[in-house]
Amino acid sequence: MLDTLINICNENKIKLILIYPPEFYNQNEKVLKEIMERKKTIDSMVTSACKKYNFYYKRFDTNDFKEEDFVDPEHVNIKGSEKYSVMMGNYLRTIIK
């Protein structure tokens, strides 16, 4: 499915940018280990495709986001969305010229 999306974008001269949004998990060690393993799997797959097809990939699940930026582990609140918007805008400026 990813290959199909990439091909459609390439055929239509669309710059493909895959974004991994912010997350915050304040869980026990077992849950955090499972999350980290999932992230490694996703990163491996997407990074490989990114190199093969020459598209952009950016992760925003960084230490810039704190627990107070979230409503729940996967959804930022207003403060978090403002921070995310600024970060996203700055990143997009580096791509779009």
Side-chain angles (χ1 to χ4, degrees), residues 68-71 75-85:
E68 61 267 11
D69 295 321
F70 292 84
V71 174
H75 298 95
V76 290
N77 58 24
I78 291 172
K79 179 182 170 193
S81 68
E82 290 170 351
K83 186 184 293 189
Y84 185 30
S85 294

Side-chain angles (χ1 to χ4, degrees), residues 5 12 18 20 23 33-34 42-43 53 55-57 64 67 72 74 77 79 91-92 94 97:
L5 174 63
N12 292 286
L18 293 183
Y20 196 105
E23 295 177 312
K33 185 177 179 178
E34 290 171 7
I42 291 168
D43 263 352
Y53 294 106
F55 65 88
Y56 299 93
Y57 173 51
D64 295 315
E67 186 172 9
D72 61 42
E74 297 173 342
N77 58 24
K79 179 182 170 193
Y91 175 67
L92 292 174
T94 68
K97 297 172 185 171

Side-chain angles (χ1 to χ4, degrees), residues 6-40:
I6 292 167
N7 289 331
I8 290 169
C9 289
N10 287 340
E11 288 169 6
N12 292 286
K13 296 179 178 25
I14 296 169
K15 285 187 179 182
L16 178 61
I17 305 168
L18 293 183
I19 302 295
Y20 196 105
E23 295 177 312
F24 185 83
Y25 291 95
N26 192 5
Q27 303 285 336
N28 64 43
E29 191 172 318
K30 182 181 178 204
V31 172
L32 289 175
K33 185 177 179 178
E34 290 171 7
I35 291 167
M36 294 308 291
E37 289 300 317
R38 182 186 75 212
K39 287 182 181 188
K40 285 180 190 176

